[in-house]
Amino acid sequence: MKKLMSLLSATIITYSAVGQTKTIGKIIQNDPELAKLLNIEDKLEVLGEGFEWSEGPVWIKDGNYLLFSDVPTNIIYKWKEGEKITEFLNPSGYTGIMPYSNEPGSNGLTISNDGKHLIACEHGDRRVTKMPLGGKGGKFTLADSWEGKRFNSPNDVVESKSGQIYFTDPPYGLPDFVDDKSREIEYFGVYRVSPNRKVTLEIKDLTRPNGVALSADHKTLYVAQSDVKAYIMSYPINSDGGVGKGKLLFDASYLNQQGLQGAPDGLKVDQNGNIFTTGPGGVLILSPEGKLLGRIETGAATANLAWGENGSTLFITADMYLLKIKTKTKGANF
């Protein structure tokens, strides 16, 4: 999500590397079913802090470490238990002459189906890329345009079992946001990149598409809308990978009206189809039918999340923080 902030370098504090433990936040229960997913008394463990705007966490099974973006500083960081947080890739999303915008770096990250490549949404270079995690072979562009027109600033990405890649393209990374003169596409769309690299505009009627996720069976695409009207949509995925007519899954606007800050952004699904999505007040936990079971209150604007470790740990990026919390469930297809 768009956030204006200083690009002054910050001091990154890594708690797990020095044997400290710091906790924040709390769990708010709206439905008894939440107790099957979380220990209600638990708090969030702070793994690191001092980032400008942490985003896009993804777990790397081969190596047991987490990667995540710090969008304004144009860096992807690496966290591993017992070690200090270190730079993994710099620059991560803009390779031109700085400054470019307030959010030039990579945003959403995912791992390819073979587990060997990092797929990244790059704000500044306005593209989706693929790069071997081992560093050999170099980064290449999966998609940077639709019908000859450059994307705005690809934001979040996911790959289906069949190799279809879906990503959102809101204006958050453009230097002048919605009014940027370099905009070439009128839509803030949701796109699909097929295995043969064909780019298709699948959804064009959302004003601020943001996070994307797939259901456990990969038959449904979830898209978070982070505009003034904040909600989550679900779309059936056709046999050819195309997206069908969407329906409203959860309207988060009433939570804003209650005074909770934030909007739906990154989201993930557990093995039973429950949806863990950032939103007003932290991380919202929804049933597969879209019922609010409760939320993890982080105390900060919350961007994204990912399953990691044995699949039951939820890593959360929230403003300046990298956080984690143990759950009683497990990520879908982990």
Side-chain angles (χ1 to χ4, degrees):
M1 295 176 63
K2 185 73 173 176
K3 182 175 181 180
L4 300 178
M5 58 188 91
S6 167
L7 292 182
L8 295 176
S9 58
T11 300
I12 307 303
I13 300 172
T14 310
Y15 291 93
S16 62
V18 292
Q20 296 174 292
T21 300
K22 177 180 178 179
T23 60
I24 61 172
K26 59 183 177 180
I27 295 173
I28 308 296
Q29 186 172 11
N30 293 81
D31 188 280
E33 288 294 307
L34 185 68
K36 296 179 181 179
L37 304 176
L38 294 167
N39 291 313
I40 306 302
E41 300 303 318
D42 280 359
K43 295 183 179 295
L44 289 152
E45 181 182 350
V46 180
L47 303 177
E49 62 179 293
F51 309 101
E52 291 284 349
W53 180 244
S54 58
E55 253 283 11
V58 64
W59 183 256
I60 315 302
K61 293 182 180 179
D62 186 11
N64 294 312
Y65 61 91
L66 185 86
L67 297 178
F68 64 100
S69 303
D70 191 359
V71 188
T73 60
N74 205 13
I75 297 171
I76 290 176
Y77 283 102
K78 173 184 176 182
W79 174 88
K80 188 170 185 177
E81 184 69 47
E83 299 180 5
K84 288 185 177 181
I85 293 174
T86 57
E87 287 188 12
F88 178 82
L89 185 66
N90 184 2
S92 68
Y94 181 62
T95 54
I97 299 172
M98 292 287 281
Y100 171 73
S101 75
N102 290 301
E103 298 192 9
S106 63
N107 194 317
L109 309 173
T110 194
I111 299 300
S112 60
N113 288 340
D114 63 9
K116 298 179 180 179
H117 296 81
L118 178 69
I119 299 173
C121 288
E122 301 188 0
H123 276 191
D125 286 346
R126 298 166 71 165
R127 60 181 180 168
V128 179
T129 60
K130 189 173 182 178
M131 182 185 74
L133 287 165
K136 296 181 180 179
K139 179 195 294 187
F140 68 90
T141 300
L142 282 172
D144 60 6
S145 61
W146 169 71
E147 295 188 346
K149 301 175 183 178
R150 296 182 70 195
F151 296 130
N152 299 303
S153 55
N155 187 278
D156 200 12
V157 61
V158 68
E159 183 176 17
S160 73
K161 296 174 183 177
S162 62
Q164 306 285 347
I165 293 172
Y166 303 90
F167 68 93
T168 56
D169 187 41
Y172 296 125
L174 292 172
D176 291 315
F177 198 43
V178 178
D179 300 320
D180 196 88
K181 294 181 179 179
S182 70
R183 273 187 62 195
E184 298 180 15
I185 300 175
E186 63 176 301
Y187 310 113
F188 300 123
V190 180
Y191 295 86
R192 172 172 62 98
V193 184
S194 66
N196 64 3
R197 306 274 294 280
K198 179 182 179 181
V199 178
T200 306
L201 174 61
E202 296 291 342
I203 303 165
K204 61 181 181 181
D205 60 351
L206 298 177
T207 55
R208 296 292 184 274
N210 204 321
V212 285
L214 292 162
S215 60
D217 61 7
H218 285 208
K219 293 182 179 180
T220 302
L221 179 71
Y222 299 111
V223 181
Q225 155 97 345
S226 58
D227 207 350
V228 175
K229 183 71 173 176
Y231 51 82
I232 296 169
M233 297 289 293
S234 68
Y235 299 85
I237 297 176
N238 304 324
S239 58
D240 64 354
V243 171
K245 184 178 180 180
K247 65 178 182 179
L248 180 67
L249 179 73
F250 179 76
D251 188 340
S253 300
Y254 79 96
L255 296 174
N256 292 135
Q257 295 167 4
Q258 292 177 0
L260 297 178
Q261 301 299 308
D265 194 338
L267 62 165
K268 297 294 186 292
V269 178
D270 78 359
Q271 59 189 355
N272 297 312
N274 298 297
I275 300 159
F276 289 67
T277 176
T278 61
V283 176
L284 311 179
I285 298 96
L286 310 176
S287 72
E289 297 74 33
K291 181 181 181 181
L292 180 63
L293 304 180
R295 58 187 174 87
I296 304 170
E297 189 173 273
T298 63
T302 310
N304 216 324
L305 62 168
W307 300 105
E309 297 184 330
N310 66 351
S312 296
T313 299
L314 199 63
F315 290 89
I316 301 168
T317 50
D319 200 343
M320 65 180 287
Y321 295 109
L322 175 65
L323 310 166
K324 79 171 182 177
I325 190 168
K326 298 289 187 179
T327 75
K328 296 179 182 180
T329 183
K330 194 172 184 178
N333 304 303
F334 191 86

